[in-house]
Amino acid sequence: MKAVILADGKGEELLPLTVRTPKAMVPLLNRPCMEYTVELLKQHGITDIAVSLEYLPELVRDYFGDGSRFGVALTYFEEQRLSAGDEKNRQSLAEFLNDTSVVIRGDILTDCNLSEAIGFHRERRSMATLVLSGDESRLQGLHVWTNREGNVTGVAEQSVEEGSFALGTGIVLIEPEIFSLLEDEGELAEPEQLVHSLFQQGIPLSGYVMKAYWSKIHSLMEYKQVQCDLLDGKVDRAIPARQLAPGIYVEGDLAIDASVRLEGPLLIGKGVHLQTGTSVGAYSVIGSRSVVAEGSALTQTILWENSYIGMQADVSGSILGRNTSIGDCVLLGENTVVGDGCRIGRAASVKAGVLIWPHKGIEEGATVNHTVIFGNTQPRRLFDSQGITGIGNVDITPEFVSRLAAAYAYQLPPGSRIALCACDHPFAQLLKHSVMTSLCAAGIDTIDFGVGIAPQLRYGVQSLSCTGGIHIQMAKQHGEKQVTLRFADQDGLPINREMQQSIELSCRQEMYARSLGRLGQLHVEHRVWDAYKQALFMQVDGGTIKHRGYTVLVECESRFLLSLLYPLFTELGMTALVGSIADGVSSYQADMGVRLLQSGEALELFSHTGERLTEDQLADLQMIFSETRSEGTNEARFHPKLDAIYILMCIVDYLCKKELSLADLVLQRRAALRLQ
């Protein structure tokens, strides 16, 4: 026995899921539909299989290969070449079909007893036997009438005759002699066309009515229902996963945080991370390497692989393609379908039944109540007040930063030098090397400052006369690692809005700089922190601070930031206590408390009594030291509003000189402002 699997369907009825995925490769419980067909054939001893391809054939070939991984032997034929009259390809197919063969669609799901059907076919010595379904509730399919002897008496696309009928399932058993009767071997690509052709030629046909599960998956609703049927055990197909609890199927490794609620039946793929407080309802399927962030709820939802669901999102009865990203607090209505690679912004609302074509971007806070086929694939703005931010390896990937760096290079004059710096997180360092590679490929020289903080980059850009710089920071935000890329101009300041817009335009229009005539040079400069520290010492009275013996309670996320502060504080005779401000500054007997934020660019200050300075009070102190900067000196390389360490040292220096507490300084400034 041999078989021909028809894997050439485009699957228009499953759009937008099938825009870039052949219907035979659409996943059912995280496995391609065609894999169930291969498994069925092997179960009944049929291992020599031809596969007819047309739409995106490479996707089928790449996944199944020669079939050895599945215990079968696969040979591929392209249906377009058959129809076009490629004699060599037609002859090869004719030689392959030298035995009784099963012609079966690769985009159906069935647990048909093929052995019984083959026995029926051979018993009647039929030239061709149609495998039929007696389930008349399924209206889609070829209508076939048979007599008591099992002979086919009529075929039609819809019911036009009286009497009961059966539906063609897309499975036909044929003898090799039938090949010579076909006017066009391309007719094999459509079982309905094959049956019509044979019936019109008067060739006797048999009809075997199976008592088994069958679905043509002819709509998005049926696509969801098929997976419910698989989870309910209505299909005689094993689910290759372990059960954590009855009906809770898990493939491979799984990360589950506290307070996760699971309601079976459901399937969770390999490498999935369910964060604290998530809820996954019955009949949900989560693709491999997907993340469901804190507090989100999924109900009867199908996620394809590598999808991301943001915090507090509500996804009900939806289907999401691979590599999709759903922002925080997004609401997806019932029967929403989102294509591959889409990005839906925070707090957006997508109404029930909306279809979104692949690689579309929905802006933050948008309400979508109609199908989205055309539109921009990227948000209008990449930059926010901090720079460019997003979830690591979801929004901000090595591929993304490589394109972003190329768009940035497009704005730079030849011979530019860009400084690069990143925090100590391995992923941030990886992104830095992606940026470095892309800039060098565009002919831009780079200077690697190594591991560091944003103020260190801003200082180094000026001191080394760079054209600009990029700092990459990872910070934990509500359970996820958030990446921030900060761009600096030649003065170490944030790039202006005009430059931001130019970079965004280049990204959208894919205007990238590339150069083979001159590749950029990479330089390594890891002494920037030492230079920054020495310049900082010149701005304060070290002797006075040492005499005072100042103690500061420091709270910050990065251990690296603390490791930078320790030698600085030690050299100035200061004591750094690491702890939580919430525990109370006074309980540590510290002179002040400081919470460092945004890679050392921002801070919050607390007096010895634990009172937090307001934003206005802090801004007032920053303004004082901004106005007293001495242009043309090293001090000009510090930015009080973007350098928390500098402003902290200036305040400590002032307090020690005046023998004041932070609370006293605030009172003085309040009185001075009243007099003004």
Side-chain angles (χ1 to χ4, degrees):
M1 285 288 297
K2 294 186 176 181
V4 178
I5 297 177
L6 307 175
D8 46 14
K10 293 184 177 180
E12 288 93 342
E13 63 273 18
L14 298 185
L15 289 171
L17 299 176
T18 50
V19 171
R20 300 185 182 182
T21 301
K23 190 179 177 186
M25 294 300 293
V26 167
L28 304 177
L29 297 193
N30 294 340
R31 291 196 291 162
C33 181
M34 181 176 144
E35 188 171 333
Y36 292 89
T37 301
V38 171
E39 184 181 79
L40 177 68
L41 292 170
K42 181 188 174 185
Q43 177 186 346
H44 292 278
I46 305 171
T47 58
D48 198 0
I49 303 170
V51 183
S52 174
L53 303 174
E54 180 180 8
Y55 182 61
L56 301 174
E58 66 281 357
L59 296 183
V60 179
R61 286 197 187 97
D62 290 347
Y63 183 85
F64 288 97
D66 62 3
S68 58
R69 184 161 60 97
F70 304 93
V72 299
L74 298 180
T75 305
Y76 297 98
F77 297 90
E78 290 199 26
E79 191 272 333
Q80 283 184 330
R81 293 173 62 193
L82 288 172
S83 300
D86 187 325
E87 191 60 38
K88 183 177 179 180
N89 208 35
R90 292 168 59 157
Q91 185 62 33
S92 297
L93 182 58
E95 292 173 356
F96 180 85
L97 294 173
N98 59 3
D99 194 359
T100 303
S101 300
V102 178
V103 179
I104 182 170
R105 298 186 65 96
D107 56 5
I108 64 171
L109 180 66
T110 181
D111 54 11
C112 173
N113 189 332
L114 289 178
S115 298
E116 188 175 288
I118 292 166
F120 177 92
H121 171 74
R122 285 175 170 166
E123 179 183 321
R124 282 158 178 73
R125 298 184 179 181
S126 300
M127 186 76 74
T129 296
L130 285 63
V131 177
L132 307 172
S133 171
D135 184 1
E136 296 183 10
S137 65
R138 299 183 182 275
L139 300 179
Q140 295 291 342
L142 183 69
H143 294 194
V144 179
W145 289 261
T146 58
N147 57 26
R148 293 181 179 179
E149 289 74 33
N151 298 318
V152 174
T153 60
V155 296
E157 288 296 331
Q158 56 185 357
S159 180
V160 293
E161 300 182 17
E162 295 182 358
S164 61
F165 60 87
L167 292 175
T169 62
I171 307 173
V172 182
L173 309 177
I174 62 173
E175 294 300 319
E177 294 80 10
I178 214 168
F179 200 87
S180 62
L181 301 175
L182 299 178
E183 297 178 1
D184 182 353
E185 284 79 354
E187 292 175 353
L188 281 174
E190 278 293 338
E192 291 79 6
Q193 185 178 347
L194 172 64
V195 169
H196 271 297
S197 178
L198 296 176
F199 188 76
Q200 289 174 0
Q201 293 183 56
I203 297 172
L205 305 176
S206 298
Y208 167 78
V209 180
M210 68 175 183
K211 297 178 181 178
Y213 182 92
W214 168 75
S215 174
K216 193 177 181 181
I217 317 178
H218 205 70
S219 67
L220 289 166
M221 291 297 293
E222 197 165 354
Y223 173 68
K224 289 170 60 178
Q225 184 60 50
V226 160
Q227 299 188 74
C228 293
D229 293 343
L230 282 164
L231 288 170
D232 279 335
K234 294 181 180 179
V235 191
D236 187 17
R237 298 288 98 193
I239 299 176
R242 72 182 192 276
Q243 289 197 63
L244 287 182
I248 309 295
Y249 296 95
V250 176
E251 301 173 324
D253 56 317
L254 169 67
I256 301 183
D257 294 347
S259 305
V260 171
R261 179 177 175 272
L262 302 177
E263 179 186 355
L266 56 80
L267 175 69
I268 303 173
K270 298 177 182 178
V272 167
H273 186 186
L274 303 179
Q275 295 185 357
T276 302
T278 59
S279 172
V280 183
Y283 301 107
S284 293
V285 179
I286 302 180
S288 62
R289 300 182 301 279
S290 294
V291 175
V292 184
E294 293 181 15
S296 290
L298 307 183
T299 307
Q300 295 183 1
T301 291
I302 299 170
L303 306 184
W304 289 12
E305 63 182 339
N306 203 35
S307 294
Y308 174 80
I309 306 296
M311 295 184 300
Q312 303 296 327
D314 189 345
V315 184
S316 175
S318 302
I319 307 172
L320 278 66
R322 60 180 61 85
N323 302 318
T324 56
S325 177
I326 307 301
D328 297 345
C329 304
V330 164
L331 175 63
L332 296 185
E334 190 78 21
N335 299 324
T336 295
V337 182
V338 180
D340 294 349
C342 287
R343 296 288 184 268
I344 298 183
R346 185 183 186 280
S349 175
V350 182
K351 300 301 183 181
V354 167
L355 309 181
I356 301 177
W357 254 240
H359 301 283
K360 296 296 176 287
I362 304 300
E363 293 186 355
E364 181 175 325
T367 297
V368 182
N369 51 26
H370 57 82
T371 291
V372 179
I373 299 178
F374 306 104
N376 293 329
T377 60
Q378 295 189 28
R380 293 177 184 174
R381 294 193 61 169
L382 291 175
F383 288 84
D384 58 22
S385 60
Q386 302 300 322
I388 295 177
T389 60
I391 302 300
N393 244 0
V394 176
D395 304 312
I396 309 295
T397 65
E399 298 82 8
F400 169 77
V401 298
S402 180
R403 295 193 299 270
L404 179 67
Y408 177 44
Y410 191 79
Q411 321 305 321
L412 301 174
S416 296
R417 290 199 308 167
I418 300 300
L420 302 175
C421 188
C423 71
D424 58 341
H425 193 283
F427 187 69
Q429 291 291 319
L430 176 66
L431 293 178
K432 183 184 68 175
H433 283 88
S434 295
V435 171
M436 187 186 305
T437 301
S438 186
L439 289 175
C440 288
I444 303 299
D445 294 338
T446 59
I447 304 179
D448 183 8
F449 289 173
V451 178
I453 58 176
Q456 178 182 337
L457 173 91
R458 299 191 187 282
Y459 180 87
V461 165
Q462 297 178 87
S463 62
L464 295 176
S465 301
C466 295
T467 311
I470 301 174
H471 181 268
I472 303 173
Q473 173 73 22
M474 292 283 289
K476 192 171 184 179
Q477 298 287 334
H478 308 291
E480 278 301 321
K481 290 293 185 180
Q482 180 170 289
V483 180
T484 300
L485 290 91
R486 293 177 172 86
F487 287 71
D489 63 15
Q490 61 185 5
D491 297 319
L493 294 169
I495 59 174
N496 58 37
R497 182 58 190 148
E498 182 181 356
M499 178 59 119
Q500 292 177 3
Q501 290 174 333
S502 296
I503 295 172
E504 290 168 350
L505 179 62
S506 293
C507 282
R508 284 196 297 270
Q509 298 185 354
E510 299 186 357
M511 296 186 297
Y512 302 140
R514 289 287 183 262
S515 172
L516 283 177
R518 181 193 180 279
L519 297 177
Q521 300 297 309
L522 169 63
H523 306 278
V524 177
E525 179 53 76
H526 290 173
R527 295 173 296 177
V528 175
W529 172 250
D530 290 333
Y532 171 90
K533 186 172 62 172
Q534 292 304 316
L536 190 58
F537 286 151
M538 295 176 63
Q539 313 308 315
V540 299
D541 186 343
T544 302
I545 296 175
K546 285 181 181 180
H547 178 73
R548 172 68 171 78
Y550 215 79
T551 300
V552 181
L553 173 63
V554 181
E555 178 185 314
C556 64
E557 182 180 271
S558 171
R559 297 295 303 177
F560 172 72
L561 186 52
L562 287 172
S563 70
L564 291 177
L565 289 177
Y566 275 129
L568 176 62
F569 279 26
T570 300
E571 196 162 341
L572 289 172
M574 297 171 59
T575 301
L577 301 176
V578 181
S580 172
I581 299 293
D583 294 338
V585 180
S586 60
S587 65
Y588 286 90
Q589 296 183 339
D591 293 295
M592 75 163 62
V594 59
R595 180 180 289 134
L596 295 170
L597 308 167
Q598 298 172 200
S599 185
E601 286 199 329
L603 80 167
E604 296 175 353
L605 287 178
F606 300 81
S607 71
H608 67 283
T609 62
E611 181 182 0
R612 177 181 176 272
L613 271 66
T614 66
E615 292 184 5
D616 289 342
Q617 290 169 338
L618 182 58
D620 176 52
L621 296 181
Q622 289 174 319
M623 182 181 67
I624 294 174
F625 295 109
S626 295
E627 292 174 347
T628 58
R629 293 175 71 203
S630 300
E631 299 297 330
T633 70
N634 280 336
E635 189 173 0
R637 294 172 182 163
F638 296 101
H639 300 289
K641 294 184 179 180
L642 295 170
D643 191 333
I645 297 175
Y646 171 74
I647 196 69
L648 175 63
M649 291 297 100
C650 287
I651 291 173
V652 169
D653 179 55
Y654 184 86
L655 295 177
C656 290
K657 287 178 179 177
K658 301 294 184 180
E659 296 184 352
L660 294 172
S661 68
L662 181 60
D664 292 335
L665 176 60
V666 171
L667 289 174
Q668 281 190 4
R669 289 301 302 165
R670 188 180 297 168
L673 290 173
R674 285 200 193 104
L675 292 175
Q676 293 177 3

